[in-house]
């Protein structure tokens, strides 16, 4: 009887570690300084400042979502061409994406700056939070251009075989951000608007690290005048829609929960949710770090036509993104009361409310990790309809339905449990579609093998 041939996946495991570990560290550092921004805002400017930042959060997430639309969408196509050895096409994809990100960044900066008061009202600010939220958005909006361009550079430089450079650049930018926040708020006693300004300086610092990569031609990418092709842009945007929605998900969830909490619990509820959001952003960024680390490998092996290597990277990502949230969610439940005290002191009612939220809301992230990897699976195989469907439902779908239902059934606790119920539904649906896609891919591979004539 013929023995089954075993495949040595050790080199792929090492590649996975090479890309995922720096990506997770870079994302963790960014999330960590976001959490520190919240701590600094809460301790230095009070609970209303925390609520104001959370009110503006959806606009900030839209910036990141659009950056992911262009960056991740372009990087998937870039690595696909790279796997096929089509180097001229890969660089032009990068240049088109960089130019597109700059155009979108300028547009966002103008709209956010000149419409800041109307935007803040639309995002649900009440009279208490309105002045602080407007002041914060006034400085956040002009930084949109930097956010867009630097994020696209981060994604493409990582795909250009430089994940460690991205990690170092992100970490250094975060350190600059934290130092400036501490000086400007605790020492010089500025308001929360400087948090937006220092974030822009942080992005500028991170972007400066990439100059030698391009100037010394250390990778394959070159910054040059793009040759725009409608089909390239269409393909990038079609592939990136899921990434846009994946990030816009945070904005949609934040907006839905802010509106529910303002009307059921009040300003205190929004402040409590703001603290939980900061910590959950850390969990989410780590999961995104794993996903983005796996992305260059999955897109490359799909372009190369290596189904076994592609499948192995995907399964590694799913396992990693399942274990991480379980550990972090357990930590939230165990140390919630201590975490809350980092953001404020002296308000017992806020502490009790936030600890209660910590025990329930983060549970949904146990399903978020595998769902992110499933979306990446669809993007890498260019099943964009499936990727967009799951990502859209995560923004506007199951969570909102459960939110409306559970408020009436369970009161305030229902608000937090609706997130868990919604993400569980996304996981089940995405898993069904992954299995369906895998069967189609296996069938296609089988047909291709059948068409190859046997050697004489």
């Amino acid at each position: 009887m013929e023995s089954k041939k075993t495949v040595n996946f050790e080199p792929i495991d090492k590649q996975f570690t090479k890309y995922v570990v720096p990506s997770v560290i870079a994302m963790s550092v960014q999330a960590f300084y976001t959490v520190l921004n919240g701590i600094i805002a809460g301790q230095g400017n009070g609970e209303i400042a925390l609520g104001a930042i959370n009110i503006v959060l959806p606009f900030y997430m839209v910036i990141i979502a659009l950056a992911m639309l262009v960056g991740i969408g372009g990087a998937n196509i870039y690595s696909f061409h790279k796997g096929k050895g089509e180097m001229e096409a890969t660089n032009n994809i990068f240049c088109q994406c960089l130019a597109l990100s700059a155009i979108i960044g300028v547009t966002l900066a103008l709209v956010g700056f000149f419409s800041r008061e109307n935007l803040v009202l639309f995002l649900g600010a009440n009279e208490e939070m309105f002045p602080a939220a407007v002041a914060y958005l006034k400085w956040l909006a002009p930084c949109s251009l930097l956010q867009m361009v630097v994020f696209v550079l981060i994604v493409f430089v990582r795909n250009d075989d430089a994940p460690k450079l991205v990690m170092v650049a992100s970490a250094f930018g975060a350190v600059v951000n934290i130092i400036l926040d501490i000086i400007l708020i605790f020492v010089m006693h500025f308001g929360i608007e400087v948090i937006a300004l220092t974030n822009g300086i942080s992005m500028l610092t991170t972007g400066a690290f990439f100059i030698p990569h391009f100037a010394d031609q250390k990778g394959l990418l070159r910054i040059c005048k793009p040759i725009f092709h409608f089909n390239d842009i269409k393909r990038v945007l079609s592939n990136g829609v899921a990434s846009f929605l994946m990030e816009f998900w945070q904005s949609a969830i934040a907006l839905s929960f802010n509106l529910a909490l303002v009307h059921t619990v009040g300003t205190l509820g929004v402040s409590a949710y703001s603290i939980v959001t900061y910590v959950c952003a850390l969990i989410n960024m780590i999961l995104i770090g794993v996903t983005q680390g796996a992305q260059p490998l999955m897109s490359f092996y799909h372009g190369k036509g290596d189904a076994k290597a592609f499948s192995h990277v995907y399964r590694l990502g799913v396992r990693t993104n399942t274990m991480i949230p379980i550990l972090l969610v357990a930590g939230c439940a165990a140390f919630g009361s201590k975490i809350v005290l980092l953001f404020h002191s002296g308000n017992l009612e806020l502490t009790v409310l936030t600890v209660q939220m910590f025990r329930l809301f983060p549970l949904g992230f146990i399903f978020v990790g595998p769902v992110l990897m499933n979306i990446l699976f669809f993007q890498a195989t260019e099943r964009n309809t499936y990727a967009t469907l799951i990502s859209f439902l995560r923004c506007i779908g199951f969570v909102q339905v459960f939110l409306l239902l559970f408020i009436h059934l369970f009161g305030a606790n229902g608000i937090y449990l609706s997130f868990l119920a919604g993400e569980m539904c996304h996981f089940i649906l995405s898993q069904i579609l992954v299995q369906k896609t895998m069967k189609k891919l296996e069938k296609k591979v089988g047909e291709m093998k059948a068409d190859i004539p046997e050697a004489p």
Side-chain angles (χ1 to χ4, degrees):
M1 196 173 177
E2 194 176 348
S3 62
K4 239 183 180 181
K5 186 180 178 182
T6 58
V7 181
N8 180 20
F9 287 122
E10 189 177 342
I12 298 174
D13 293 344
K14 288 181 180 178
Q15 284 183 314
F16 183 82
T17 303
K18 173 189 171 183
Y19 277 91
V20 168
V21 171
S23 179
V24 168
I25 292 173
M27 286 294 181
S28 299
V29 168
Q30 289 182 46
F32 182 65
Y33 85 69
T34 302
V35 172
L36 276 179
N37 279 343
I39 293 172
I40 291 167
Q43 296 286 0
N45 298 112
E47 297 148 18
I48 291 176
L50 271 175
I53 291 174
N54 202 50
I55 286 293
V56 180
L57 182 64
F59 179 82
Y60 176 74
M61 291 304 174
V62 166
I63 299 171
I64 304 300
L66 287 168
M68 289 185 74
L69 170 70
V70 179
I72 302 296
N76 276 316
I77 308 304
Y78 163 83
S79 289
F80 178 81
H81 283 299
K82 188 178 175 183
K84 285 184 169 295
E86 300 167 349
M87 303 319 299
E88 188 176 340
T90 62
N91 197 72
N92 194 46
I93 289 288
F94 162 65
C95 293
Q96 288 179 85
C97 289
L98 196 61
L100 186 59
S101 69
I103 294 168
I104 296 172
V106 170
T107 304
L108 284 171
L110 293 173
V111 171
F113 184 82
F114 289 108
S115 304
R116 57 187 180 276
E117 293 184 354
N118 291 330
L119 274 172
V120 164
L121 289 173
F122 172 75
L123 293 171
N126 57 20
E127 289 183 10
E128 284 184 284
M129 293 181 286
F130 180 80
V134 170
Y136 181 63
L137 184 55
K138 179 182 178 180
W139 289 97
L140 180 68
C143 295
S144 302
L145 174 60
L146 286 172
Q147 291 279 355
M148 286 289 305
V149 172
V150 172
F151 184 86
V152 169
L153 284 172
I154 284 172
V155 176
F156 273 95
V157 170
R158 181 186 292 121
N159 277 261
D160 199 26
D161 297 327
K164 288 184 180 178
L165 174 61
V166 171
M167 177 186 71
V168 173
S170 300
F172 197 85
V175 170
V176 169
N177 186 303
I178 292 165
I179 291 171
L180 288 175
D181 279 348
I182 291 171
I183 293 171
L184 293 175
I185 290 181
F186 285 133
V187 179
M188 302 182 72
H189 305 290
F190 282 98
I192 62 168
E193 59 270 19
V194 300
I195 293 176
L197 180 61
T198 56
N199 188 49
I201 295 172
S202 169
M203 287 291 104
L204 194 61
T205 304
T206 298
F209 268 81
F210 301 137
I211 294 173
H213 182 78
F214 293 101
D216 299 338
Q217 299 186 352
K218 293 181 178 180
L220 298 173
L221 292 176
R222 304 286 182 268
I223 296 177
C224 55
K225 184 179 179 181
I227 302 171
F228 285 100
H229 298 296
F230 176 76
N231 286 337
D232 284 345
I233 299 296
K234 181 181 176 182
R235 192 177 175 190
V236 166
L237 297 181
S238 176
N239 191 276
V241 166
S243 293
F244 167 81
L245 293 172
M246 193 187 302
E247 189 62 35
F248 185 70
W249 162 80
Q250 294 186 74
S251 304
I253 295 296
L255 179 58
S256 300
F257 278 77
N258 281 338
L259 292 173
L261 288 164
V262 163
H263 289 95
T264 56
V265 186
T267 301
L268 198 68
V270 177
S271 297
Y273 179 56
S274 177
I275 295 171
V276 174
T277 300
Y278 273 114
V279 177
C280 286
L282 175 59
I283 302 174
N284 192 55
M285 291 288 270
I286 291 172
L287 299 178
I288 290 175
V290 174
T291 307
Q292 290 191 3
Q295 176 268 315
L297 295 175
M298 289 179 66
S299 298
F300 176 81
Y301 284 121
H302 177 63
K304 194 176 180 182
D306 192 336
K308 288 183 179 179
F310 172 88
S311 181
H312 183 68
V313 174
Y314 163 71
R315 294 182 197 285
L316 280 174
V318 170
R319 286 199 294 268
T320 306
N321 261 9
T322 300
M323 291 304 300
I324 287 173
I326 290 174
L327 295 173
L328 294 177
V329 168
C332 287
F335 303 106
S337 58
K338 292 181 175 62
I339 295 171
V340 174
L341 293 176
L342 293 173
F343 290 85
H344 76 94
S345 56
N347 191 328
L348 181 61
E349 190 179 357
L350 178 59
T351 300
V352 171
L353 181 60
T354 311
V355 170
Q356 182 185 20
M357 207 180 291
F358 260 128
R359 289 172 181 159
L360 299 174
F361 185 82
L363 290 170
F365 282 91
I366 294 172
F367 297 100
V368 169
V371 170
L372 293 180
M373 281 304 303
N374 287 345
I375 292 172
L376 176 61
F377 176 93
F378 298 134
Q379 288 181 293
T381 56
E382 296 196 64
R383 264 61 178 183
N384 296 327
T385 302
Y386 288 164
T388 303
L389 172 64
I390 299 299
S391 300
F392 179 79
L393 288 175
R394 294 185 74 223
C395 295
I396 305 171
F398 291 118
V399 172
Q400 283 76 13
V401 170
F402 284 117
L403 187 60
L404 293 172
L405 180 63
F406 283 8
I407 286 176
H408 296 291
L409 293 177
F410 307 112
N413 285 340
I415 296 176
Y416 323 134
L417 288 170
S418 62
F419 179 62
L420 169 63
E423 288 301 331
M424 191 184 299
C425 290
H426 302 140
F427 168 72
I428 293 169
L429 179 58
S430 67
Q431 201 63 35
I432 291 170
L433 293 175
V434 164
Q435 295 303 319
K436 181 180 177 181
T437 304
M438 278 185 168
K439 287 179 181 178
K440 286 184 178 180
L441 290 174
E442 287 170 2
K443 183 180 178 182
K444 185 177 179 181
V445 171
E447 289 173 351
M448 288 173 65
K449 285 181 178 179
D451 289 339
I452 299 173
E454 291 184 9

